[in-house]
Amino acid sequence: MTRTNNRPLVRTATKADAGPLIAVLAEAFHHGPLADWLIPDPDERRTVYYRYFKDALHAGLEHGQVHTTSDQTAVAIWYPRPEPAPTDHHQRLETLERIAGPYAPKFVLLEEMFDAVHPDTPHHYLAYLAVDPTHHNQGIGAALLTDHHRHLDDIGIPAYLEASNLHNRRLYLRHGYTAGPTITLPTHGPTIWRMWRGTPTTNGGRTPFPHTTRRNP
């Protein structure tokens, strides 16, 4: 565990944390342009999002690295990506149809667009960073970022993520990320900012966004 100033301890999450952290994810992502695009009805969104983030959290616990705080008010899900990750598209389609029902096509499209432009360079992928909305502006999300960034800097590994709104984009820029080419979702969908944080440089500057070979779904 690590503590940043007087903020809660950052620690590795376990299956025992699942209930509270699923709720944090679902609530943190409930509002915003991406949420409105995926599921316009907020009541239906709440139901689908709980199922979606239950799947996301358990996938992170099994295949990635999940960090939380001592009071379970925030969660970060990271995936080490030493090489492009294979995806079983048929299985994922079945999962999303079960989770999202009539909204599955947009979830499938979103994930396929993300996968198609994911960087080839080895990195850690921040799939989700969520803070309980009642604990915003307390530096908790920044503490989770700083904790993992310190580890990445020690081992010389970059980080990558997609920011779904301008507020988050500004947060990541402050933490050393470079904004790369954007993703614009169809049917009047929002813009997604692809962001890259390279390894520390000798002059303290930002590393350029890496070349990406577009992959077909």
Side-chain angles (χ1 to χ4, degrees), residues 115-136:
D115 288 344
V117 294
H118 206 101
D120 304 316
T121 304
H123 62 278
H124 277 206
Y125 172 46
L126 179 58
Y128 303 101
L129 174 65
V131 178
D132 183 329
T134 64
H135 289 75
H136 280 179

Side-chain angles (χ1 to χ4, degrees), residues 122-209:
H123 62 278
H124 277 206
Y125 172 46
L126 179 58
Y128 303 101
L129 174 65
V131 178
D132 183 329
T134 64
H135 289 75
H136 280 179
N137 302 315
Q138 297 179 21
I140 300 172
L144 282 173
L145 282 175
T146 299
D147 184 76
H148 197 65
H149 288 166
R150 187 180 299 113
H151 168 66
L152 294 181
D153 291 346
D154 287 343
I155 61 177
I157 296 292
Y160 172 75
L161 58 87
E162 299 101 0
S164 59
N165 60 59
L166 285 171
H167 178 271
N168 291 345
R169 181 181 183 273
R170 289 191 291 269
L171 169 67
Y172 297 126
L173 287 173
R174 291 197 300 271
H175 282 266
Y177 285 80
T178 298
T182 59
I183 300 170
T184 301
L185 299 172
T187 61
H188 308 289
T191 297
I192 306 294
W193 287 270
R194 302 168 62 216
M195 308 198 73
W196 180 262
R197 180 184 184 273
T199 54
T201 59
T202 55
N203 61 4
R206 298 174 191 263
T207 54
F209 199 89

